Amino acid sequence: IFGEEIMSKRIIVHLSCLMIIMMLFVSCSGSISTDVYVDDIEDAAVDASAIYYTRAVLMMESPGSSSVEQLKAKIREWFRDVENFRETDIDFTSYLVADIMVPVVNSNVKTIDSKDDLFTIIATQNTAGEIEFGFRFDRSVFDTMNRYVKDEFWSSLSIEDWDFSIDLKNDSRKTKDVVIHSLYVDDEPVLTPKKFSVKNRDSLNLRFSDILRDYGFAQGEVMIGSLV
């Protein structure tokens, strides 16, 4: 009986250690949802000096009430024009939510100012005269965020646990044809290029697939569609 008690205690200790190790390697999830306007894309595509900013919503897993103010301060360092902090719960997980600004620039523009941006919308005009648009990731910003999360909360950031989406809004006065590929368009999976007609004041929700997100993070930037 005494031996069985020792064995049971050892099992409990081993399980407790395993749980602690698993907790240390839990990734901190998040998302960025961005409003992007057709007029901004068209202007940035043909003018390398044009720099626009559009509103986005950042969600980042909350470290708990005791550290939330500290995380807010860091978010203000990592992103532009942060405002309207609030909290929400999704599937029993608490998230810190904030409004941020995301740049919209010509694809030839690599640096805007002294501040780096994790997520940037890019646009260009190809040789056929079509306007292409896509996004750029800055891994150095994500690495900075990851180091902070590891040091302060014994957690980590992985791009695989983050979601990205664009709400493409047609703010022009006429219907726009948009060719999209490699993502979800209004929850429809689109692999090969497909044309969508977007009426004035209408929009398309473009949600990144896992492979698009991971490829973009590895390559730095990728085009996802064109205005034709």
Side-chain angles (χ1 to χ4, degrees):
I1 296 175
F2 182 71
E4 291 179 354
E5 290 180 353
I6 294 177
M7 182 63 69
S8 298
K9 290 181 178 179
R10 285 178 177 175
I11 292 174
I12 292 173
V13 170
H14 289 163
L15 289 175
S16 299
C17 292
L18 181 60
M19 290 178 66
I20 292 173
I21 293 174
M22 290 176 65
M23 289 175 65
L24 292 179
F25 288 94
V26 171
S27 292
C28 178
S29 59
S31 67
I32 296 179
S33 303
T34 308
D35 290 338
V36 180
Y37 295 88
V38 166
D39 277 355
D40 289 351
I41 291 175
E42 291 180 327
D43 290 345
V46 298
D47 184 359
S49 65
I51 299 175
Y52 302 94
Y53 294 95
T54 187
R55 181 60 63 186
V57 176
L58 167 73
M59 292 181 59
M60 191 169 178
E61 193 169 337
S62 175
S65 57
S66 61
S67 302
V68 71
E69 292 302 322
Q70 184 179 353
L71 180 58
K72 286 180 181 180
K74 299 305 291 187
I75 288 175
R76 290 189 180 97
E77 291 182 17
W78 299 330
F79 298 96
R80 295 180 185 269
D81 300 327
V82 180
E83 60 183 21
N84 194 23
F85 279 110
R86 62 264 193 203
E87 295 187 51
T88 188
D89 293 328
I90 301 176
D91 296 333
F92 305 105
T93 301
S94 295
Y95 289 88
L96 182 61
V97 185
D99 295 332
I100 62 174
M101 298 301 283
V102 167
V104 181
V105 301
N106 187 283
S107 62
N108 291 321
V109 176
K110 305 302 181 183
T111 303
I112 299 175
D113 52 29
S114 60
K115 189 175 185 65
D116 296 320
D117 295 276
L118 172 62
F119 187 65
T120 300
I121 303 300
I122 57 175
T124 189
Q125 189 171 34
N126 62 27
T127 55
E130 297 175 343
I131 292 177
E132 299 180 350
F133 63 93
F135 65 92
R136 177 183 296 149
F137 280 135
D138 190 323
R139 296 189 65 153
S140 65
V141 177
F142 199 80
D143 290 343
T144 298
M145 295 168 61
N146 189 29
R147 285 194 298 270
Y148 170 76
V149 169
K150 282 184 176 180
D151 292 343
E152 296 296 327
F153 308 124
W154 287 9
S155 185
S156 64
L157 293 183
S158 171
I159 197 66
E160 297 175 357
D161 296 308
W162 280 63
D163 296 321
F164 296 85
S165 65
I166 293 172
D167 201 33
L168 181 63
K169 298 179 181 295
N170 183 9
D171 57 335
S172 69
R173 296 186 176 182
K174 59 183 180 179
T175 298
K176 291 288 185 178
D177 288 333
V178 185
V179 175
I180 302 293
H181 61 87
S182 305
L183 37 61
Y184 293 88
V185 180
D186 291 338
D187 291 328
E188 174 191 348
V190 176
L191 178 60
T192 56
K194 182 176 180 179
K195 183 185 291 187
F196 296 84
S197 292
V198 188
K199 296 180 180 179
N200 167 251
R201 300 182 183 276
D202 207 349
S203 64
L204 290 177
N205 181 259
L206 312 179
R207 179 165 55 89
F208 292 11
S209 62
D210 290 349
I211 191 169
L212 175 67
R213 175 203 59 209
D214 296 346
Y215 179 83
F217 191 69
Q219 298 299 317
E221 63 182 50
V222 61
M223 293 300 181
I224 59 175
S226 59
L227 304 176
V228 297

